[in-house]
Amino acid sequence: MPQNIIEIIRAIAEKSMPSIVVGYIQSVSPLRVVLVEDMNISLSAQSVIVPSNKYPLRAGEQWYLLSVYGNKIYYFLDRV
């Protein structure tokens, strides 16, 4: 439990900081991406952003994903 204002701000900032995770493309149609570090988390097309220059995606590929907005949106960065 945070004890002072600095610790409270630090705790809030750490939760909202973007991070890079690795995702495994399980299927393309419909798009399903499973996080490598937590195979229980499966992402659909509604929670990922794939830039147009990153297509075509292929099942079985692994990608670096930028996790933003408290792990609610994942942005495709590059192939692993």
Side-chain angles (χ1 to χ4, degrees):
M1 182 96 177
Q3 299 298 320
N4 59 41
I5 191 72
I6 293 172
E7 290 177 3
I8 293 170
I9 292 170
R10 189 173 290 140
I12 292 170
E14 286 175 0
K15 289 181 183 178
S16 63
M17 289 295 292
S19 62
I20 296 177
V21 296
V22 176
Y24 171 82
I25 299 179
Q26 192 172 44
S27 68
V28 176
S29 184
L31 182 59
R32 279 277 177 235
V33 180
V34 177
L35 297 185
V36 171
E37 62 189 38
D38 189 349
M39 298 301 258
N40 293 323
I41 298 178
S42 178
L43 308 173
S44 65
Q46 287 79 21
S47 56
V48 298
I49 298 172
V50 184
S52 59
N53 65 341
K54 301 297 181 189
Y55 278 105
L57 300 175
R58 294 183 185 90
E61 291 181 332
Q62 290 188 2
W63 281 75
Y64 291 113
L65 306 171
L66 181 65
S67 170
V68 294
Y69 297 115
N71 299 330
K72 293 180 182 167
I73 301 291
Y74 293 83
Y75 184 86
F76 275 70
L77 295 174
D78 205 357
R79 288 177 178 85
V80 173

Coordinates of all heavy atoms in Angstrom, one line a residue:
M1 N 0.8 -1.2 0.0 CA 0.0 0.0 0.0 C 0.9 1.2 0.0 O 1.8 1.4 0.8 CB -0.9 0.0 1.2 CG -1.8 1.1 1.3 SD -3.4 0.6 0.7 CE -4.4 2.0 1.0
P2 N 0.7 2.2 -0.9 CA 1.5 3.4 -1.0 C 1.3 4.2 0.3 O 0.3 4.3 0.8 CB 0.9 4.2 -2.2 CG 0.2 3.1 -3.0 CD -0.3 2.1 -2.0
Q3 N 2.5 4.8 0.7 CA 2.5 5.5 1.9 C 2.4 7.1 1.8 O 1.9 7.7 2.6 CB 3.8 5.2 2.7 CG 3.9 3.7 3.1 CD 2.8 3.3 4.0 OE1 2.4 4.0 4.9 NE2 2.2 2.1 3.8
N4 N 2.9 7.6 0.6 CA 2.8 9.0 0.4 C 2.5 9.3 -1.0 O 2.3 8.4 -1.8 CB 4.2 9.6 0.8 CG 5.3 9.1 0.0 OD1 5.2 8.9 -1.2 ND2 6.5 8.9 0.6
I5 N 2.3 10.6 -1.3 CA 1.9 11.0 -2.6 C 2.8 10.6 -3.8 O 2.3 10.2 -4.8 CB 1.6 12.5 -2.7 CG1 0.9 13.0 -4.0 CG2 2.9 13.3 -2.6 CD1 -0.6 12.5 -4.0
I6 N 4.1 10.6 -3.5 CA 5.1 10.1 -4.5 C 4.9 8.7 -4.9 O 4.9 8.3 -6.0 CB 6.5 10.4 -4.1 CG1 6.7 11.9 -4.0 CG2 7.5 9.8 -5.0 CD1 8.0 12.4 -3.4
E7 N 4.7 7.8 -3.9 CA 4.4 6.4 -4.1 C 3.1 6.2 -4.8 O 3.0 5.3 -5.7 CB 4.5 5.6 -2.8 CG 5.9 5.6 -2.2 CD 5.9 4.9 -0.9 OE1 4.9 4.4 -0.4 OE2 7.0 4.8 -0.3
I8 N 2.1 7.0 -4.5 CA 0.8 6.8 -5.2 C 0.9 7.2 -6.7 O 0.5 6.5 -7.5 CB -0.3 7.7 -4.5 CG1 -0.5 7.2 -3.1 CG2 -1.5 7.8 -5.3 CD1 -1.4 8.1 -2.3
I9 N 1.6 8.3 -7.0 CA 1.8 8.7 -8.4 C 2.6 7.7 -9.1 O 2.3 7.3 -10.2 CB 2.5 10.1 -8.4 CG1 1.5 11.1 -7.9 CG2 2.9 10.4 -9.8 CD1 2.0 12.5 -7.7
R10 N 3.7 7.2 -8.5 CA 4.5 6.2 -9.1 C 3.7 4.9 -9.4 O 3.8 4.3 -10.5 CB 5.7 5.8 -8.2 CG 6.7 4.9 -8.9 CD 8.0 4.8 -8.0 NE 8.7 6.1 -8.0 CZ 9.3 6.6 -6.9 NH1 9.3 5.9 -5.8 NH2 9.9 7.7 -7.0
A11 N 2.9 4.5 -8.5 CA 2.0 3.3 -8.7 C 1.1 3.5 -9.9 O 0.9 2.6 -10.7 CB 1.3 2.9 -7.4
I12 N 0.5 4.6 -10.0 CA -0.5 4.9 -11.1 C 0.3 5.0 -12.4 O -0.2 4.4 -13.4 CB -1.2 6.3 -10.8 CG1 -2.1 6.1 -9.6 CG2 -1.9 6.7 -12.1 CD1 -2.7 7.4 -9.2
A13 N 1.5 5.6 -12.4 CA 2.2 5.7 -13.7 C 2.7 4.3 -14.1 O 2.7 4.0 -15.3 CB 3.4 6.6 -13.4
E14 N 3.1 3.5 -13.2 CA 3.6 2.1 -13.6 C 2.5 1.3 -14.2 O 2.7 0.6 -15.2 CB 4.1 1.4 -12.4 CG 5.5 1.9 -12.0 CD 6.0 1.2 -10.7 OE1 5.3 0.4 -10.1 OE2 7.1 1.6 -10.2
K15 N 1.2 1.5 -13.8 CA 0.1 0.7 -14.4 C -0.2 1.2 -15.8 O -0.7 0.4 -16.6 CB -1.1 0.9 -13.5 CG -1.0 0.1 -12.2 CD -2.3 0.3 -11.4 CE -2.1 -0.4 -10.0 NZ -3.3 -0.2 -9.2
S16 N 0.0 2.5 -16.1 CA -0.4 3.0 -17.4 C 0.8 3.1 -18.4 O 0.6 3.5 -19.5 CB -1.0 4.4 -17.2 OG -0.1 5.3 -16.6
M17 N 2.0 2.7 -17.9 CA 3.1 2.8 -18.8 C 3.0 1.7 -19.9 O 2.6 0.6 -19.7 CB 4.4 2.5 -18.1 CG 4.8 3.7 -17.1 SD 5.2 5.2 -18.0 CE 6.7 4.7 -18.8
P18 N 3.3 2.1 -21.2 CA 3.3 1.1 -22.2 C 4.4 0.0 -22.0 O 5.4 0.3 -21.4 CB 3.5 1.8 -23.5 CG 3.9 3.2 -23.1 CD 3.7 3.4 -21.6
S19 N 4.2 -1.2 -22.5 CA 5.2 -2.2 -22.4 C 5.2 -3.0 -23.7 O 4.3 -2.9 -24.5 CB 4.9 -3.1 -21.3 OG 3.7 -3.8 -21.4
I20 N 6.3 -3.7 -24.0 CA 6.4 -4.5 -25.2 C 6.3 -6.0 -24.8 O 6.9 -6.5 -23.9 CB 7.7 -4.3 -25.9 CG1 7.8 -2.8 -26.4 CG2 7.9 -5.2 -27.1 CD1 9.0 -2.4 -27.1
V21 N 5.4 -6.7 -25.5 CA 5.1 -8.1 -25.2 C 5.2 -8.8 -26.6 O 5.3 -8.2 -27.6 CB 3.7 -8.3 -24.6 CG1 3.6 -7.7 -23.2 CG2 2.6 -7.8 -25.5
V22 N 5.3 -10.2 -26.5 CA 5.4 -11.0 -27.7 C 4.0 -11.7 -27.9 O 3.5 -12.3 -26.9 CB 6.5 -12.0 -27.7 CG1 6.5 -12.9 -28.9 CG2 7.9 -11.3 -27.5
G23 N 3.5 -11.6 -29.1 CA 2.2 -12.3 -29.4 C 2.4 -13.3 -30.5 O 3.2 -13.1 -31.4
Y24 N 1.7 -14.4 -30.4 CA 1.7 -15.5 -31.3 C 0.4 -15.5 -32.1 O -0.7 -15.5 -31.5 CB 1.9 -16.8 -30.6 CG 1.7 -18.0 -31.4 CD1 2.8 -18.5 -32.1 CD2 0.5 -18.8 -31.4 CE1 2.6 -19.7 -32.9 CE2 0.4 -19.9 -32.2 CZ 1.4 -20.4 -32.9 OH 1.3 -21.5 -33.7
I25 N 0.5 -15.4 -33.4 CA -0.7 -15.4 -34.2 C -1.3 -16.8 -34.3 O -0.7 -17.6 -35.0 CB -0.5 -14.8 -35.6 CG1 0.0 -13.3 -35.5 CG2 -1.8 -14.8 -36.4 CD1 0.3 -12.6 -36.7
Q26 N -2.4 -17.0 -33.6 CA -3.0 -18.3 -33.6 C -3.9 -18.5 -34.9 O -3.9 -19.6 -35.4 CB -3.9 -18.4 -32.4 CG -4.4 -19.8 -32.0 CD -5.1 -19.8 -30.7 OE1 -5.9 -18.9 -30.4 NE2 -4.8 -20.8 -29.9
S27 N -4.6 -17.5 -35.3 CA -5.4 -17.6 -36.6 C -5.5 -16.2 -37.2 O -5.4 -15.2 -36.5 CB -6.7 -18.2 -36.3 OG -7.5 -17.3 -35.6
V28 N -5.7 -16.2 -38.5 CA -5.8 -14.9 -39.2 C -7.2 -14.5 -39.4 O -7.6 -13.3 -39.4 CB -5.0 -15.0 -40.5 CG1 -5.1 -13.7 -41.3 CG2 -3.5 -15.3 -40.2
S29 N -8.1 -15.4 -39.7 CA -9.5 -15.1 -40.0 C -10.4 -16.1 -39.2 O -10.5 -17.2 -39.6 CB -9.7 -15.3 -41.5 OG -11.0 -14.9 -41.8
P30 N -10.9 -15.6 -38.1 CA -10.8 -14.3 -37.5 C -9.4 -14.2 -36.8 O -8.8 -15.2 -36.4 CB -11.9 -14.3 -36.5 CG -12.1 -15.7 -36.1 CD -11.8 -16.5 -37.3
L31 N -9.0 -12.9 -36.7 CA -7.7 -12.7 -36.1 C -7.7 -13.0 -34.6 O -8.5 -12.6 -33.8 CB -7.3 -11.2 -36.2 CG -5.9 -10.8 -35.7 CD1 -4.8 -11.6 -36.3 CD2 -5.6 -9.3 -35.9
R32 N -6.8 -13.9 -34.2 CA -6.6 -14.3 -32.8 C -5.1 -14.3 -32.5 O -4.3 -14.9 -33.2 CB -7.1 -15.7 -32.6 CG -8.5 -15.8 -32.4 CD -8.8 -15.5 -30.9 NE -10.2 -15.5 -30.7 CZ -10.9 -14.5 -30.2 NH1 -10.3 -13.4 -29.8 NH2 -12.2 -14.6 -30.0
V33 N -4.7 -13.5 -31.5 CA -3.3 -13.4 -31.1 C -3.2 -13.8 -29.6 O -4.0 -13.3 -28.8 CB -2.8 -12.0 -31.2 CG1 -1.3 -11.9 -30.8 CG2 -2.9 -11.5 -32.7
V34 N -2.3 -14.7 -29.3 CA -2.1 -15.2 -27.9 C -0.8 -14.6 -27.4 O 0.2 -14.7 -28.1 CB -2.1 -16.8 -27.9 CG1 -1.8 -17.2 -26.5 CG2 -3.4 -17.3 -28.4
L35 N -0.8 -14.1 -26.2 CA 0.4 -13.6 -25.6 C 1.3 -14.7 -25.2 O 0.9 -15.6 -24.5 CB 0.1 -12.7 -24.4 CG -0.7 -11.4 -24.7 CD1 -0.9 -10.6 -23.5 CD2 -0.1 -10.6 -25.9
V36 N 2.5 -14.7 -25.6 CA 3.5 -15.7 -25.3 C 3.7 -15.9 -23.8 O 3.8 -17.0 -23.3 CB 4.8 -15.5 -26.0 CG1 5.9 -16.5 -25.6 CG2 4.6 -15.6 -27.6
E37 N 3.8 -14.8 -23.1 CA 4.1 -14.9 -21.6 C 2.9 -15.3 -20.8 O 3.0 -15.6 -19.7 CB 4.7 -13.5 -21.1 CG 3.7 -12.4 -21.3 CD 4.4 -11.0 -21.0 OE1 5.5 -10.9 -21.3 OE2 3.7 -10.2 -20.3
D38 N 1.7 -15.2 -21.4 CA 0.5 -15.6 -20.7 C -0.5 -16.2 -21.8 O -1.3 -15.5 -22.3 CB -0.2 -14.5 -20.0 CG -1.3 -14.9 -19.1 OD1 -1.7 -16.1 -19.2 OD2 -1.8 -14.1 -18.2
M39 N -0.4 -17.5 -22.0 CA -1.2 -18.2 -23.0 C -2.7 -18.1 -22.7 O -3.5 -18.5 -23.6 CB -0.7 -19.6 -23.2 CG 0.7 -19.7 -23.7 SD 1.0 -18.9 -25.2 CE 1.1 -20.3 -26.3
N40 N -3.1 -17.7 -21.6 CA -4.5 -17.6 -21.2 C -5.1 -16.3 -21.8 O -6.3 -16.2 -21.8 CB -4.7 -17.6 -19.7 CG -4.4 -19.0 -19.1 OD1 -4.6 -20.0 -19.7 ND2 -3.8 -18.9 -17.9
I41 N -4.3 -15.4 -22.3 CA -4.8 -14.1 -22.8 C -4.8 -14.2 -24.3 O -3.8 -14.4 -25.0 CB -3.9 -12.9 -22.4 CG1 -3.9 -12.8 -20.9 CG2 -4.4 -11.7 -23.1 CD1 -3.1 -11.7 -20.3
S42 N -6.0 -14.2 -24.9 CA -6.2 -14.3 -26.3 C -6.8 -13.0 -26.8 O -7.8 -12.5 -26.3 CB -7.1 -15.5 -26.6 OG -7.4 -15.5 -28.0
L43 N -6.2 -12.3 -27.8 CA -6.6 -11.0 -28.3 C -7.4 -11.2 -29.6 O -7.0 -12.0 -30.4 CB -5.4 -10.1 -28.5 CG -4.4 -10.0 -27.3 CD1 -3.2 -9.2 -27.8 CD2 -5.1 -9.3 -26.2
S44 N -8.4 -10.4 -29.8 CA -9.2 -10.4 -31.0 C -8.9 -9.2 -31.8 O -8.1 -8.3 -31.3 CB -10.7 -10.5 -30.7 OG -11.1 -9.4 -30.1
A45 N -9.4 -9.1 -33.0 CA -9.2 -7.9 -33.8 C -9.6 -6.6 -33.2 O -9.1 -5.5 -33.5 CB -9.9 -8.1 -35.1
Q46 N -10.6 -6.6 -32.2 CA -11.0 -5.4 -31.6 C -10.0 -4.8 -30.6 O -10.1 -3.7 -30.3 CB -12.3 -5.7 -30.8 CG -13.5 -5.9 -31.6 CD -13.6 -7.3 -32.2 OE1 -13.0 -8.2 -31.7 NE2 -14.4 -7.5 -33.3
S47 N -9.0 -5.6 -30.2 CA -8.1 -5.1 -29.2 C -6.7 -4.9 -29.8 O -5.7 -4.7 -29.0 CB -8.0 -6.0 -28.0 OG -7.8 -7.3 -28.3
V48 N -6.5 -5.1 -31.1 CA -5.2 -4.9 -31.7 C -5.3 -3.9 -32.8 O -6.3 -3.7 -33.4 CB -4.6 -6.2 -32.2 CG1 -4.4 -7.2 -31.1 CG2 -5.4 -6.8 -33.3
I49 N -4.1 -3.2 -33.0 CA -4.0 -2.3 -34.2 C -2.9 -2.8 -35.0 O -1.8 -3.0 -34.6 CB -3.7 -0.9 -33.7 CG1 -4.8 -0.3 -32.8 CG2 -3.4 0.0 -34.9 CD1 -4.5 1.0 -32.2
V50 N -3.2 -3.1 -36.3 CA -2.3 -3.7 -37.3 C -2.1 -2.6 -38.3 O -3.0 -2.3 -39.1 CB -2.7 -5.0 -37.9 CG1 -1.6 -5.5 -38.8 CG2 -3.1 -6.0 -36.8
P51 N -0.9 -1.9 -38.4 CA -0.7 -1.0 -39.4 C -0.8 -1.6 -40.8 O -0.4 -2.8 -41.0 CB 0.8 -0.5 -39.2 CG 1.0 -0.9 -37.8 CD 0.2 -2.1 -37.5
S52 N -1.2 -0.9 -41.8 CA -1.4 -1.4 -43.1 C -0.1 -2.0 -43.7 O -0.2 -2.9 -44.5 CB -2.0 -0.4 -44.1 OG -1.2 0.8 -44.1
N53 N 1.0 -1.4 -43.4 CA 2.3 -1.9 -43.9 C 2.7 -3.2 -43.3 O 3.8 -3.8 -43.7 CB 3.4 -0.9 -43.9 CG 3.8 -0.5 -42.5 OD1 3.1 -0.8 -41.5 ND2 4.9 0.1 -42.4
K54 N 2.0 -3.7 -42.3 CA 2.4 -5.0 -41.6 C 1.7 -6.2 -42.1 O 1.9 -7.3 -41.7 CB 2.1 -4.9 -40.1 CG 2.9 -3.7 -39.4 CD 4.4 -3.9 -39.5 CE 5.1 -2.8 -38.8 NZ 6.5 -2.8 -39.0
Y55 N 0.7 -6.0 -43.0 CA 0.0 -7.1 -43.6 C 0.9 -7.7 -44.7 O 1.7 -7.0 -45.3 CB -1.3 -6.6 -44.2 CG -2.4 -6.5 -43.2 CD1 -2.8 -5.3 -42.7 CD2 -3.0 -7.6 -42.7 CE1 -3.8 -5.2 -41.8 CE2 -4.0 -7.5 -41.7 CZ -4.4 -6.3 -41.3 OH -5.4 -6.2 -40.4
P56 N 0.8 -8.9 -45.1 CA -0.2 -9.9 -44.6 C 0.4 -10.6 -43.3 O 1.6 -10.8 -43.2 CB -0.3 -10.9 -45.7 CG 1.0 -10.9 -46.4 CD 1.5 -9.5 -46.3
L57 N -0.5 -10.9 -42.4 CA -0.1 -11.7 -41.2 C -0.3 -13.1 -41.5 O -1.2 -13.5 -42.3 CB -1.0 -11.3 -40.0 CG -1.0 -9.8 -39.6 CD1 -2.0 -9.6 -38.5 CD2 0.4 -9.4 -39.1
R58 N 0.5 -14.0 -40.9 CA 0.4 -15.4 -41.1 C 0.3 -16.1 -39.8 O 1.0 -15.8 -38.8 CB 1.6 -15.9 -41.9 CG 1.7 -15.4 -43.3 CD 2.8 -16.0 -44.1 NE 3.0 -15.4 -45.4 CZ 3.7 -14.3 -45.6 NH1 4.4 -13.7 -44.7 NH2 3.7 -13.8 -46.8
A59 N -0.6 -17.1 -39.7 CA -0.7 -17.9 -38.5 C 0.7 -18.6 -38.2 O 1.4 -19.0 -39.1 CB -1.8 -19.0 -38.7
G60 N 1.0 -18.6 -36.9 CA 2.3 -19.2 -36.5 C 3.4 -18.2 -36.3 O 4.4 -18.5 -35.6
E61 N 3.2 -17.0 -36.8 CA 4.2 -15.9 -36.6 C 4.2 -15.4 -35.2 O 3.1 -15.4 -34.5 CB 4.0 -14.8 -37.6 CG 4.3 -15.1 -39.0 CD 4.1 -13.9 -39.9 OE1 3.3 -13.0 -39.6 OE2 4.8 -13.9 -40.9
Q62 N 5.3 -14.9 -34.7 CA 5.4 -14.2 -33.5 C 5.7 -12.7 -33.8 O 6.6 -12.4 -34.6 CB 6.4 -14.8 -32.5 CG 6.0 -16.1 -32.0 CD 7.0 -16.6 -30.9 OE1 7.9 -16.0 -30.5 NE2 6.7 -17.8 -30.4
W63 N 5.1 -11.8 -33.0 CA 5.2 -10.4 -33.2 C 5.5 -9.7 -31.9 O 5.0 -10.1 -30.9 CB 4.0 -9.8 -33.8 CG 3.8 -10.0 -35.3 CD1 3.5 -11.2 -35.9 CD2 4.0 -9.1 -36.3 NE1 3.4 -11.0 -37.2 CE2 3.8 -9.7 -37.5 CE3 4.4 -7.7 -36.4 CZ2 3.9 -9.1 -38.8 CZ3 4.5 -7.1 -37.6 CH2 4.2 -7.8 -38.8
Y64 N 6.3 -8.6 -32.0 CA 6.4 -7.7 -30.9 C 5.2 -6.8 -30.9 O 4.8 -6.2 -31.9 CB 7.7 -6.8 -31.0 CG 8.9 -7.6 -30.8 CD1 9.8 -7.7 -31.8 CD2 9.3 -8.2 -29.6 CE1 11.0 -8.5 -31.7 CE2 10.5 -8.9 -29.4 CZ 11.3 -9.0 -30.5 OH 12.5 -9.7 -30.3
L65 N 4.5 -6.6 -29.7 CA 3.4 -5.8 -29.6 C 3.6 -4.8 -28.5 O 4.2 -5.1 -27.5 CB 2.1 -6.7 -29.2 CG 1.8 -7.9 -30.1 CD1 0.7 -8.7 -29.4 CD2 1.4 -7.4 -31.5
L66 N 3.2 -3.5 -28.8 CA 3.2 -2.5 -27.8 C 1.9 -2.5 -27.1 O 0.8 -2.3 -27.7 CB 3.5 -1.1 -28.5 CG 3.6 0.1 -27.6 CD1 4.8 0.0 -26.7 CD2 3.6 1.4 -28.4
S67 N 1.9 -2.7 -25.8 CA 0.7 -2.8 -25.0 C 0.5 -1.4 -24.4 O 1.4 -0.9 -23.7 CB 0.9 -3.8 -23.9 OG -0.1 -3.7 -22.9
V68 N -0.7 -0.8 -24.7 CA -1.0 0.5 -24.1 C -2.3 0.6 -23.5 O -3.1 -0.4 -23.6 CB -0.9 1.6 -25.3 CG1 0.5 1.8 -25.8 CG2 -1.9 1.2 -26.4
Y69 N -2.7 1.7 -22.8 CA -3.9 1.8 -22.2 C -4.2 0.7 -21.2 O -5.3 0.1 -21.2 CB -5.1 2.0 -23.2 CG -5.0 3.2 -24.0 CD1 -4.7 3.1 -25.4 CD2 -5.0 4.5 -23.5 CE1 -4.6 4.2 -26.2 CE2 -4.8 5.6 -24.3 CZ -4.7 5.5 -25.6 OH -4.5 6.6 -26.4
G70 N -3.3 0.4 -20.3 CA -3.5 -0.6 -19.3 C -3.7 -2.0 -19.9 O -4.6 -2.7 -19.4
N71 N -3.0 -2.3 -20.9 CA -3.1 -3.7 -21.6 C -4.5 -3.9 -22.2 O -5.0 -5.0 -22.3 CB -2.8 -4.8 -20.6 CG -1.4 -4.7 -20.0 OD1 -0.5 -4.2 -20.7 ND2 -1.2 -5.2 -18.8
K72 N -5.1 -2.8 -22.7 CA -6.4 -2.9 -23.4 C -6.2 -2.9 -24.9 O -7.0 -3.4 -25.7 CB -7.3 -1.8 -22.9 CG -7.7 -2.0 -21.5 CD -8.7 -1.0 -21.0 CE -9.0 -1.2 -19.6 NZ -9.6 -0.1 -19.0
I73 N -5.1 -2.2 -25.4 CA -4.9 -2.1 -26.8 C -3.5 -2.5 -27.1 O -2.5 -2.2 -26.4 CB -5.0 -0.6 -27.3 CG1 -6.4 -0.1 -27.0 CG2 -4.7 -0.5 -28.8 CD1 -7.5 -0.7 -27.8
Y74 N -3.3 -3.3 -28.2 CA -2.0 -3.8 -28.6 C -1.7 -3.4 -30.0 O -2.5 -3.6 -30.9 CB -1.9 -5.4 -28.4 CG -2.1 -5.8 -27.0 CD1 -3.3 -5.9 -26.4 CD2 -1.0 -6.1 -26.3 CE1 -3.4 -6.3 -25.1 CE2 -1.1 -6.6 -24.9 CZ -2.3 -6.7 -24.4 OH -2.4 -7.1 -23.1
Y75 N -0.5 -2.8 -30.2 CA -0.1 -2.3 -31.5 C 1.0 -3.2 -32.1 O 2.0 -3.4 -31.4 CB 0.4 -0.8 -31.3 CG 0.7 -0.1 -32.6 CD1 -0.2 0.5 -33.3 CD2 2.0 -0.1 -33.1 CE1 0.1 1.2 -34.5 CE2 2.4 0.5 -34.2 CZ 1.4 1.2 -35.0 OH 1.7 1.8 -36.1
F76 N 0.8 -3.7 -33.3 CA 1.8 -4.5 -33.9 C 3.0 -3.7 -34.3 O 2.9 -2.7 -35.0 CB 1.3 -5.2 -35.2 CG 0.5 -6.4 -34.9 CD1 -0.7 -6.4 -34.3 CD2 1.0 -7.6 -35.3 CE1 -1.5 -7.5 -34.1 CE2 0.3 -8.8 -35.1 CZ -1.0 -8.8 -34.5
L77 N 4.2 -4.1 -33.8 CA 5.4 -3.4 -34.1 C 6.2 -4.0 -35.2 O 6.5 -3.4 -36.2 CB 6.3 -3.3 -32.8 CG 5.7 -2.4 -31.7 CD1 6.6 -2.5 -30.4 CD2 5.6 -1.0 -32.1
D78 N 6.7 -5.3 -34.9 CA 7.5 -6.0 -35.9 C 7.5 -7.5 -35.6 O 7.3 -7.9 -34.5 CB 9.0 -5.4 -35.8 CG 9.7 -5.6 -37.1 OD1 9.2 -6.2 -38.1 OD2 10.9 -5.2 -37.2
R79 N 7.9 -8.2 -36.6 CA 8.1 -9.7 -36.4 C 9.3 -10.0 -35.5 O 10.2 -9.3 -35.5 CB 8.3 -10.4 -37.7 CG 7.1 -10.4 -38.6 CD 7.4 -11.1 -39.9 NE 6.2 -11.2 -40.7 CZ 5.7 -10.2 -41.5 NH1 6.4 -9.1 -41.6 NH2 4.6 -10.4 -42.2
V80 N 9.1 -11.0 -34.7 CA 10.2 -11.5 -33.8 C 11.3 -12.1 -34.6 O 11.1 -12.8 -35.6 CB 9.7 -12.5 -32.8 CG1 10.8 -13.0 -31.9 CG2 8.7 -11.8 -31.8

